[in-house]
Amino acid sequence: MKRGDAAVVAELAGQLGYSRELREVADWIEGLGARGDRQAAFVACAGDEVVGWIEVSLESRLQTPPFVLIGGLVVKDGMRGEGIGRRLCEEAEQWARERGSSKIRVTSRSTRPEAHRFYLRDGYEVVKTSLVFEKKLDG
């Protein structure tokens, strides 16, 4: 993923239900260089067109051994089911192996049964059901 991909990346993030300003997305992509040992993002292209992306990070938590987390994965509407998501996951899994991780994890919103079927077909297992809590902070 490169800064020039920002507009399409932001548009695809919208298909996941997330709204980010173009500048924010471009700045995030540009900052990947400084975070490259712990975070990566890859795009899938059909010709010159970006049709999907995946973002991963190496997570280190007190309570668990390190693992790689897929923070986001999206394939453009109308292009799903063509193996693009699988190829993006393969790239993420290779990135995880290169960092010595033996586990890759993904969370998926409960309202995305198609995504759940995709991950199950791809060998992922449901290991936990959680709720996400968020608190907005002042300042």
Side-chain angles (χ1 to χ4, degrees):
M1 186 179 289
K2 58 186 187 272
R3 189 176 179 95
D5 299 328
V8 177
V9 167
E11 179 185 327
L12 290 170
Q15 291 184 17
L16 283 176
Y18 298 98
S19 177
R20 297 279 316 265
E21 295 291 327
L22 177 58
R23 178 190 45 79
E24 293 172 327
V25 172
D27 289 349
W28 186 94
I29 293 169
E30 192 165 299
L32 272 175
R35 302 185 307 272
D37 60 330
R38 302 199 59 79
Q39 194 168 33
F42 305 98
V43 294
C45 298
D48 292 335
E49 179 187 8
V50 172
V51 295
W53 58 259
I54 192 167
E55 178 262 315
V56 291
S57 59
L58 182 60
E59 300 292 319
S60 178
R61 309 280 168 86
L62 175 65
Q63 69 276 18
T64 64
F67 62 93
V68 167
L69 177 68
I70 296 173
L73 167 63
V74 62
V75 173
K76 182 178 179 179
D77 282 338
M79 300 204 69
R80 296 177 186 144
E82 297 182 20
I84 297 166
R86 174 68 224 121
R87 182 64 190 99
L88 286 165
C89 283
E90 288 171 354
E91 194 69 30
E93 291 162 12
Q94 182 59 37
W95 185 88
R97 284 185 202 94
E98 290 169 1
R99 275 139 193 85
S101 181
S102 61
K103 186 184 297 183
I104 191 161
R105 179 179 294 171
V106 63
T107 61
S108 181
R109 191 175 291 167
S110 62
T111 57
R112 294 194 172 115
E114 299 84 13
H116 305 162
R117 285 190 291 277
F118 166 80
Y119 290 118
L120 290 168
R121 277 193 315 268
D122 199 34
Y124 290 77
E125 300 174 355
V126 176
V127 296
K128 179 174 37 173
T129 302
S130 299
L131 297 174
V132 176
F133 295 88
E134 195 170 75
K135 181 178 183 179
K136 294 190 181 197
L137 303 175
D138 295 332

